[in-house]
Amino acid sequence: MRNTFGTLFTLTTFGESHGAGVGGVVDGMPAGIEVDLSFIQHELDRRRPGQSAITTSRQEGDRVELLSGVFEGRTTGAPIGFFVRNENQHSQDYENLRTLFRPSHADYTYHYKYGIRDHRGGGRSSARITISRVVGGALAKLALRQLGISVCAYTTQVGHIALERDYHLYDLSLTEQNAVRCPDPEKAREMEQLIAQVKAEGDTIGGVIACVVRGCPPGIGEPEFGKLHAQLGQAMLSINAVKGFEIGEGFEGVTQRGSEQNDIFLSEEDSSISTLNTKLSTLTNHSGGIQGGISNGQDIFFRVAFKPVATLLREQQTVDLEGNPTTFTARGRHDPCVLPRAVPVVEAMAAMTILDHWLYARTVSL
């Protein structure tokens, strides 16, 4: 299995949903970065279960332990090891799944590939493994903060309830003020009501998370097979339940003409940028901040589609290990909608991708 993400800034993860815990090793973290442990914990708290009535009721503290790579509150440049212990597993809830394959889960594919699988909550395929991504992303955010780069994701759609695509219409600072993590309070209430209704029916629902990266300088990303938007897409599509990625206008842009899509360049005087003493900006940002696979200095904007959670608290048809038809009803504690807890995961993957490419751009320009 490929358990390592990144090229220069890397994250290697380990652990299972119902094992001793989940952890990882971050390598390539620049030395001298101040490590704000309360910030890292805050990022984990945004992802942890039991936050509200519309998330799983599993109660986990998700307290992170930093094992190496930090001395007197700063990174040393050495690998940073970390661990988060599992404290509230109900493994017995999954005993009826030992001999069957749940629809749209990784049960069958893992069994076919490896000949063995951990049926307790999905084991390695569980969304609980995203804990490691959030810790790695928090460390990346601390480094990006010193570069003036910020990453902000938010829920933009749940089911049929959706915001306008233009993020400038919203105060993104309001994102954390509701359980859905939507910057529009009225739409957030509608989304929350829909999720609660779906949960009461024993069903699940999907939606879309949007992400804005501000302050990314031009020149980040590589041509051909290292395009920045391709790397962001790969990062997002590696998240559990993600089924789609689009950047800039994305699929909506296919209805427009080139004359409507092109981002016209403007020149602004800025003596701190480049030998030409000019920094180019664009009148519009249909490209989503990336052109030719390389950042152009504008906001990077993309959207990520999440399918409905595959675990339903209602009877479903399936087959057992021998291929015999059977029925089952899932037990345990599950999210009716993954989006609220996936927002920090999207941010984490974006932050690690941007920092990794920033470090690479610095090495090739020396």
Side-chain angles (χ1 to χ4, degrees):
M1 293 176 66
R2 295 185 60 179
N3 297 297
T4 300
F5 174 82
T7 302
L8 296 180
F9 179 93
T10 64
L11 168 68
T12 301
T13 73
F14 63 85
E16 294 83 28
S17 176
H18 286 244
V22 176
V25 177
V26 168
D27 204 358
M29 180 74 173
I33 302 296
E34 184 176 349
V35 176
D36 183 348
L37 189 57
S38 63
F39 172 75
I40 298 174
Q41 190 59 55
H42 171 70
E43 294 295 279
L44 280 172
D45 290 344
R46 296 171 67 209
R47 193 224 70 94
R48 73 175 178 83
Q51 296 179 43
S52 70
I54 60 171
T55 63
T56 172
S57 60
R58 179 173 176 170
Q59 294 295 322
E60 292 279 4
D62 287 354
R63 311 302 297 182
V64 63
E65 304 171 42
L66 297 185
L67 307 177
S68 63
V70 178
F71 178 69
E72 295 184 342
R74 293 186 178 275
T75 57
T76 64
I80 301 175
F82 62 87
F83 189 60
V84 174
R85 300 181 185 277
N86 293 331
E87 301 171 336
N88 190 229
Q89 309 100 310
H90 287 181
S91 299
Q92 67 275 10
D93 289 341
Y94 298 89
E95 193 57 33
N96 66 324
L97 307 179
R98 181 185 289 273
T99 60
L100 55 80
F101 300 124
R102 295 170 296 173
S104 291
H105 284 76
D107 298 348
Y108 171 70
T109 52
Y110 268 56
H111 179 82
Y112 190 90
K113 182 175 179 67
Y114 300 107
I116 186 173
R117 67 180 175 92
D118 185 347
H119 66 281
R120 305 166 303 166
R124 185 68 175 155
S125 66
S126 168
R128 184 156 179 77
I129 309 306
T130 58
I131 283 175
S132 300
R133 299 172 183 235
V134 172
V135 175
L139 290 166
K141 281 186 177 182
L142 291 173
L144 292 177
R145 183 185 294 176
Q146 296 198 7
L147 302 173
I149 301 173
S150 65
V151 182
C152 178
Y154 60 95
T155 298
T156 185
Q157 183 172 346
V158 173
H160 65 280
I161 303 170
L163 304 185
E164 297 289 337
R165 294 175 64 89
D166 187 355
Y167 63 90
H168 295 96
L169 300 174
Y170 304 98
D171 180 359
L172 300 188
S173 68
L174 301 178
T175 297
E176 294 295 316
Q177 295 189 12
N178 56 74
V180 189
R181 294 199 163 89
C182 171
D184 184 321
E186 183 175 342
K187 289 287 188 180
R189 283 191 292 271
E190 295 179 26
M191 292 175 180
E192 191 167 349
Q193 290 170 359
L194 176 58
I195 295 172
Q197 175 189 337
V198 167
K199 180 181 180 181
E201 296 170 353
D203 216 333
T204 62
I205 196 164
V208 178
I209 290 175
C211 187
V212 184
V213 180
R214 291 190 170 104
C216 184
I220 305 299
E222 298 300 311
E224 198 59 11
F225 300 115
K227 291 180 170 66
L228 182 56
H229 60 281
Q231 300 299 303
L232 284 167
Q234 187 273 334
M236 298 306 140
L237 288 164
S238 74
I239 301 172
N240 306 57
V242 170
K243 288 296 183 180
F245 171 83
E246 62 176 3
I247 188 160
E249 292 296 334
F251 290 103
E252 290 291 322
V254 302
T255 63
Q256 296 180 325
R257 306 288 181 90
S259 56
E260 299 173 292
Q261 278 278 300
N262 284 353
D263 295 318
I264 306 302
F265 284 107
L266 304 173
S267 179
E268 296 178 357
E269 190 71 17
D270 187 344
S271 59
S272 66
I273 303 294
S274 85
T275 56
L276 298 176
N277 294 326
T278 60
K279 175 186 176 182
L280 297 181
S281 64
T282 56
L283 184 63
T284 55
N285 190 21
H286 299 299
S287 302
I290 300 174
Q291 294 169 331
I294 300 172
S295 62
N296 64 6
Q298 305 305 301
D299 290 349
I300 296 173
F301 176 76
F302 60 85
R303 290 160 40 97
V304 187
F306 286 78
K307 71 171 184 174
V309 178
T311 300
L312 311 182
L313 298 182
R314 55 167 64 178
E315 187 176 82
Q316 296 184 79
Q317 294 182 333
T318 189
V319 297
D320 62 20
L321 294 177
E322 304 300 324
N324 302 309
T326 186
T327 61
F328 81 103
T329 300
R331 299 193 294 263
R333 303 154 297 174
H334 305 281
D335 288 291
C337 179
V338 74
L339 272 74
R341 296 175 59 211
V343 165
V345 181
V346 168
E347 290 181 0
M349 297 306 296
M352 288 191 288
T353 301
I354 297 297
L355 179 58
D356 191 28
H357 276 266
W358 185 90
L359 291 169
Y360 188 81
R362 189 179 65 168
T363 62
V364 298
S365 63
L366 293 177

